[in-house]
Amino acid sequence: MRTYPTNSPQAATRLLAMALVADGNYSMTEIRALDRLEAPRRLGLPAEEIKAVIDQFCQDLLSVAHGEWTGSAQIDDATRQALMREVQDPALRVQIMELCEAVALADGHLAEGEADMLDAMVKAWRTVPAAMASATAV
């Protein structure tokens, strides 16, 4: 996997890409959610560059898996943790969690790979996504 500077828009976007393909693919509903959520503005990258980071992440996944597409759910824990460590800023982490959660739920279904990805972020960052926090508050 390529590396990005800590707290860079590219590092943040790659985590969003990891959530996008956590279930093995992404839908147009999830892609449209990126626009609706204003992900380019919030992450500080033009829409074309966000798409480029997503494409590069998918290429890296294929390379690591020797050409077999498995989505991001099959990333080993050490690699996943290394990618998450590229984002240290607490406010950026919260923003990424919100975007990842919204994208994962955009199609009305939380796949196992998506849930695992969100759980890994919670464990790595000790941050609770909004939907989880409101569900436990009831």
Side-chain angles (χ1 to χ4, degrees):
M1 294 273 163
R2 64 193 84 210
T3 59
Y4 293 116
T6 301
N7 296 323
S8 67
Q10 293 82 2
T13 299
R14 178 173 41 203
L15 294 177
L16 185 56
M18 194 167 22
L20 267 173
V21 297
D23 62 353
N25 58 36
Y26 54 87
S27 68
M28 284 309 297
T29 302
E30 293 168 329
I31 295 299
R32 279 191 225 101
L34 294 176
D35 292 332
R36 189 178 65 256
L37 296 164
E38 299 181 348
R41 179 192 58 77
R42 292 174 70 183
L43 295 174
L45 284 177
E48 301 78 34
E49 202 166 331
I50 285 187
K51 290 177 182 137
V53 171
I54 293 168
D55 287 346
Q56 291 165 352
F57 178 66
C58 290
Q59 290 168 6
D60 287 349
L61 286 175
L62 281 170
S63 177
V64 169
H66 308 291
E68 182 181 345
W69 179 254
T70 58
S72 65
Q74 300 303 316
I75 294 176
D76 64 276
D77 191 54
T79 301
R80 184 181 295 190
Q81 294 300 317
L83 299 180
M84 288 186 205
R85 279 192 304 272
E86 286 186 349
V87 176
Q88 297 291 316
D89 179 79
L92 183 57
R93 285 178 171 181
V94 168
Q95 188 171 44
I96 293 167
M97 284 291 300
E98 289 171 356
L99 288 169
C100 288
E101 181 182 22
V103 165
L105 294 171
D107 60 3
H109 166 252
L110 186 63
E112 184 178 344
E114 293 167 332
D116 290 345
M117 166 68 186
L118 292 172
D119 285 346
M121 281 185 167
V122 168
K123 288 176 186 166
W125 295 344
R126 305 290 185 234
T127 304
V128 179
M132 293 172 112
S134 63
T136 58
V138 175

